[in-house]
Amino acid sequence: MSFTRQLSEMSASELNDAIDDTNFPQAHILSRGRNNSVCSTSSTSGTSSLADRVVSAPEEPLPASSEEPAATNSNRPRLILKSSASIPENDGTQPLTPQTPRTSTTPGHENCTFHHDLELDHKPPTREALLPDMARSYRLLLGGLGENPDRQGLIKTPERAAKAMLYFTKGYDQNLEDVLNGAVFDEDHDEMVVVKDIEMFSMCEHHLVPFYGKVSIGYLPCNKILGLSKLARIVEIFSRRLQVQERLTKQIAVAVTQAVQPAGVAVVVEGVHMCMVMRGVQKINSKTVTSTMLGVFRDDPKTREEFLNLVNSK
Ligand SMILES: Nc1nc2c(ncn2[C@@H]2O[C@H](COP(=O)(O)OP(=O)(O)OP(=O)(O)O)[C@@H](O)[C@H]2O)c(=O)[nH]1
Ligand SMILES: [Zn+2]
């Protein structure tokens, strides 16, 4: 079973629950590199999902150290990444990109070539097969507004709107493995990588109106780097769905983790929610900032500060 399939098999809420307590490998299985950066020394490879990387926190106390981060003293239950699980090396027998059409192995979804993460309960085999039903719904909506769906200006609107909605949610049809396209490179580099101000357009799952903004992503590599554009593509996978900003932020962080197993990942999302601008409280200048800090970004204040300084610099 491929790495992506395993990631995909987690529902949004499972993913959310899992990440809430995610921490990176404990000090006893880590070697210290650059400053306080940490890389797993485990050579274990192979496939693993977040779910099967959940292990109990070690019984033995962590080594006392002045550098010991406060986060490791937390009493809350923790998910620990068991090893440096990675996308399987391509030994030449497996294509990097799955065959198309891709199908699901999940019962009831055998013919499905989209919704890899199964966030949606769906029947049609392709996204386009959704169009007629969606267009009918938009037509009803127009009627519900008191409009005449048959007047000239609106005649094609239901189909246009359906196509637009499919576009706004096209992330459901994407998966990490395809998007990465093998652009993960071995590189002896352990300095922070930051790509900031990546434009993001998403759809508020509560009101079905847009929220938009920018995403900044940082990671501290452990001998693997990611093609730079892939960070922006990861943002697309998860923003082009019905979302809440908090989940979007976490999903991006987890995907970067899955892609390159870094020592840490930091994601900051700054969003403007049209549901708060055009309606409701109508606060046109409010911005929502969410962040997910994993691994060394969570544990080491200096690393986190370095990232935030880079993100906030003009
Ligand atoms: N946490 C979070 N909340 C969001 C997001 N997008 C929209 N919301 C909120 O979802 C909530 C829905 O609240 P409800 O009271 O059920 O809906 P409502 O009556 O339309 O709420 P108002 O927006 O306050 O008018 C609102 O507070 C929205 O601001 C998001 O990305 N994250
Ligand atoms: Zn909303």
Side-chain angles (χ1 to χ4, degrees):
M1 183 176 284
S2 79
F3 141 79
T4 306
R5 180 89 63 217
Q6 290 181 0
L7 178 66
S8 303
E9 279 169 2
M10 297 185 79
S11 70
S13 60
E14 282 173 327
L15 194 58
N16 218 25
D17 290 347
I19 315 164
D20 272 341
D21 295 305
T22 293
N23 210 327
F24 271 54
Q26 295 286 354
H28 69 288
I29 58 165
L30 301 172
S31 66
R32 290 211 171 264
R34 163 199 182 277
N35 300 331
N36 286 320
S37 77
V38 284
C39 289
S40 170
T41 53
S42 165
S43 60
T44 310
S45 62
T47 61
S48 172
S49 70
L50 272 178
D52 65 28
R53 282 187 281 144
V54 176
V55 294
S56 304
E59 300 283 352
E60 69 269 24
L62 294 168
S65 154
S66 58
E67 289 175 10
E68 199 57 41
T72 58
N73 295 326
S74 162
N75 286 328
R76 67 194 179 119
R78 224 180 254 152
L79 298 181
I80 301 166
L81 300 185
K82 205 191 290 178
S83 66
S84 58
S86 61
I87 295 177
E89 297 293 331
N90 187 4
D91 59 3
T93 59
Q94 301 202 336
L96 281 173
T97 305
Q99 305 286 326
T100 49
R102 305 180 304 262
T103 54
S104 170
T105 52
T106 305
H109 298 265
E110 292 83 354
N111 295 325
C112 300
T113 56
F114 69 112
H115 295 171
H116 284 270
D117 56 8
L118 303 179
E119 273 188 358
L120 301 186
D121 187 15
H122 62 97
K123 296 179 190 72
T126 64
R127 297 264 289 158
E128 286 63 34
L130 293 167
L131 277 174
D133 269 358
M134 288 175 68
R136 265 192 294 278
S137 302
Y138 277 115
R139 192 181 155 84
L140 278 176
L141 188 65
L142 289 173
L145 291 172
E147 271 285 1
N148 171 12
D150 294 320
R151 74 174 168 84
Q152 191 197 39
L154 295 180
I155 198 97
K156 291 171 93 177
T157 295
E159 202 189 2
R160 283 194 209 99
K163 283 181 180 164
M165 184 55 92
L166 275 191
Y167 189 86
F168 299 151
T169 58
K170 68 186 169 78
Y172 288 124
D173 196 24
Q174 297 178 321
N175 70 65
L176 186 58
E177 189 177 16
D178 283 0
V179 160
L180 295 182
N181 194 30
V184 175
F185 309 108
D186 293 334
E187 189 65 45
D188 187 18
H189 180 83
D190 64 358
E191 299 295 328
M192 191 180 298
V193 178
V194 176
V195 177
K196 66 178 193 173
D197 297 341
I198 302 167
E199 294 94 347
M200 166 280 289
F201 297 93
S202 190
M203 295 292 283
C204 158
E205 71 180 18
H206 302 128
H207 299 95
L208 298 185
V209 295
F211 68 94
Y212 66 92
K214 55 188 187 181
V215 180
S216 296
I217 304 173
Y219 71 97
L220 212 49
C222 274
N223 305 318
K224 276 181 201 282
I225 57 168
L226 189 57
L228 287 176
S229 69
K230 305 307 179 190
L231 292 168
R233 291 193 185 281
I234 286 172
V235 171
E236 285 287 297
I237 303 178
F238 296 105
S239 58
R240 298 292 189 175
R241 299 172 182 213
L242 304 187
Q243 273 290 11
V244 294
Q245 189 173 317
E246 294 91 331
R247 188 170 68 235
L248 170 64
T249 312
K250 287 177 188 173
Q251 287 178 329
I252 294 167
V254 166
V256 176
T257 305
Q258 296 282 8
V260 286
Q261 297 87 50
V265 179
V267 178
V268 172
V269 179
E270 192 176 296
V272 174
H273 289 247
M274 294 314 286
C275 62
M276 288 177 68
V277 173
M278 289 179 68
R279 56 158 299 288
V281 288
Q282 302 193 43
K283 297 299 174 201
I284 60 172
N285 291 315
S286 72
K287 286 183 177 161
T288 304
V289 181
T290 47
S291 71
T292 296
M293 302 283 159
L294 300 179
V296 71
F297 289 91
R298 173 182 284 207
D299 295 342
D300 177 31
K302 280 190 188 149
T303 307
R304 185 165 61 240
E305 193 183 327
E306 182 181 337
F307 168 73
L308 293 174
N309 285 340
L310 287 170
V311 165
N312 292 327
S313 68
K314 290 291 168 203

